[in-house]
């Protein structure tokens, strides 16, 4: 165990108001592609750029192509499992140390791991609704309605079933943002992991942190490295496996 991880371990032992803020890199060790790394989604070749296909405009104008891309690239397989980072965060919550998980991911792995207080900034593949009648299609069964649909998933009323994920050009949920800001601003320790901290407005939330133990765990540099009290450049699952 290197000195940085020893420090992290000590800080966790001394804290009882930790908030974790995570991004796509938290789930890569479960086999889910991230977005901006060299082998991530944004470096793969598609008919249109991924940012375009994940936009509200594309959803409206190329609806069937949107769902093909969403099913094949954004929805992880049914049997995908949480990794060590997800599981340890859930344990820290049960131990009374972790107060909240704030995540940019939509894969639902924090829920699968057992975390309870989660702010899903960009929504979840397990929350879906009919845009016409408002009927909910939630949980694994709800996700499978979209996963196994032929073409555009339709409700019994004929309306389109839209995932509650935040697309480009769409705003974040105000209640979710307010809850995340409140948790972060009251934390005595903020652990940021698996995120490049370049996606706004989500990444701007860490500016609300007022404590003196800001930890960044990420494979690559981030714009906030110089502001951090501790920076660890190791896979996040391996780090949490040691603490």
């Amino acid at each position: 165990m290197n000195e940085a991880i020893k420090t992290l371990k000590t800080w966790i032992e001394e804290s009882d108001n930790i908030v974790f803020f995570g991004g796509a890199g938290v789930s890569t060790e479960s086999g889910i592609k991230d977005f901006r790394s060299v082998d991530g989604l944004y470096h793969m070749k598609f008919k249109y750029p991924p940012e375009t296909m994940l936009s509200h405009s594309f959803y409206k104008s190329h609806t069937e192509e949107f769902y093909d891309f969403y099913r094949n690239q954004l929805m992880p397989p049914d049997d995908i499992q949480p990794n060590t980072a997800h599981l340890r965060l859930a344990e820290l919550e049960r131990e009374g140390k972790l107060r909240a998980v704030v995540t940019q991911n939509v894969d639902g792995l924090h829920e699968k791991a057992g975390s309870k207080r989660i702010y899903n900034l960009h929504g979840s593949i397990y929350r879906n609704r009919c845009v016409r009648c408002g009927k909910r299609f939630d949980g694994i069964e709800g996700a499978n309605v979209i996963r196994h649909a032929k073409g555009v998933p339709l409700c019994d009323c004929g309306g389109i079933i839209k995932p509650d994920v935040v697309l480009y050009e769409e705003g974040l949920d105000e209640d979710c943002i307010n809850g995340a800001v409140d948790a972060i601003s009251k934390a005595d320790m903020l652990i940021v992991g698996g995120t490049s901290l370049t996606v706004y407005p989500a990444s701007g939330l860490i500016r609300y942190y007022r404590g003196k133990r800001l930890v960044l765990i990420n494979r690559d540099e981030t714009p906030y490295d110089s502001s951090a009290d501790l920076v660890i450049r190791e896979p996040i699952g391996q780090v949490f496996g040691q603490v």
Side-chain angles (χ1 to χ4, degrees), residues 7 65 79 105:
T7 298
E65 287 179 273
D79 59 355
N105 297 340

Side-chain angles (χ1 to χ4, degrees), residues 18 20 26 82-95 98-103 108-120 240:
I18 303 169
F20 177 81
V26 178
N83 60 52
T84 304
H86 298 107
L87 296 170
R88 183 66 183 122
L89 288 166
E91 287 178 357
L92 288 171
E93 183 181 42
R94 289 193 294 271
E95 292 167 8
L98 186 78
R99 299 302 179 185
V101 168
V102 181
T103 179
L109 289 180
H110 286 293
E111 286 87 346
K112 273 191 176 182
S115 290
K116 301 301 182 185
R117 190 182 181 193
I118 307 168
Y119 295 101
N120 290 295
F240 275 101

Side-chain angles (χ1 to χ4, degrees), residues 179-241:
V181 166
D182 183 64
I184 289 171
S185 65
K186 293 176 179 176
D188 62 18
M189 180 177 179
L190 178 63
I191 303 175
V192 180
T195 172
S196 61
L197 291 174
T198 57
V199 178
Y200 286 87
S203 61
L205 295 183
I206 72 170
R207 294 176 179 171
Y208 291 94
Y209 178 59
R210 297 290 181 261
K212 296 181 179 179
R213 289 181 170 179
L214 173 60
V215 181
L216 296 185
I217 307 170
N218 199 52
R219 185 170 60 181
D220 304 314
E221 291 184 15
T222 81
Y224 288 87
D225 283 10
S226 60
S227 304
D229 302 293
L230 183 66
V231 177
I232 300 176
R233 298 239 181 278
E234 296 184 37
I236 191 165
Q238 292 183 24
V239 172
F240 275 101

Side-chain angles (χ1 to χ4, degrees), residues 79-195:
D79 59 355
I80 205 80
Q81 294 299 318
N83 60 52
T84 304
H86 298 107
L87 296 170
R88 183 66 183 122
L89 288 166
E91 287 178 357
L92 288 171
E93 183 181 42
R94 289 193 294 271
E95 292 167 8
K97 292 186 168 294
L98 186 78
R99 299 302 179 185
V101 168
V102 181
T103 179
Q104 300 173 83
N105 297 340
V106 299
D107 52 45
L109 289 180
H110 286 293
E111 286 87 346
K112 273 191 176 182
S115 290
K116 301 301 182 185
R117 190 182 181 193
I118 307 168
Y119 295 101
N120 290 295
L121 298 176
H122 294 154
S124 170
I125 66 167
Y126 296 107
R127 298 203 305 260
N128 309 277
R129 62 180 175 82
C130 172
V131 299
R132 178 181 292 177
C133 72
K135 181 179 178 181
R136 303 294 313 182
F137 295 84
D138 295 339
I140 294 175
E141 291 184 4
N144 284 339
V145 168
I146 291 182
R147 192 192 308 276
H148 301 309
K150 304 298 182 184
V152 179
L154 299 177
C155 176
D156 292 339
C157 77
I160 296 174
I161 302 171
K162 184 179 183 294
D164 274 350
V165 298
V166 179
L167 304 177
Y168 287 99
E169 305 164 352
E170 294 180 345
L172 303 188
D173 179 81
E174 188 174 342
D175 289 341
C176 184
I177 286 287
N178 290 339
V181 166
D182 183 64
I184 289 171
S185 65
K186 293 176 179 176
D188 62 18
M189 180 177 179
L190 178 63
I191 303 175
V192 180
T195 172

Side-chain angles (χ1 to χ4, degrees), residues 60-75:
K60 296 291 287 186
S61 62
H62 297 71
T63 308
E64 189 160 349
E65 287 179 273
F66 165 82
Y67 278 100
D68 285 343
F69 182 79
Y70 177 80
R71 273 189 288 261
N72 293 322
Q73 302 299 333
L74 213 61
M75 295 188 79

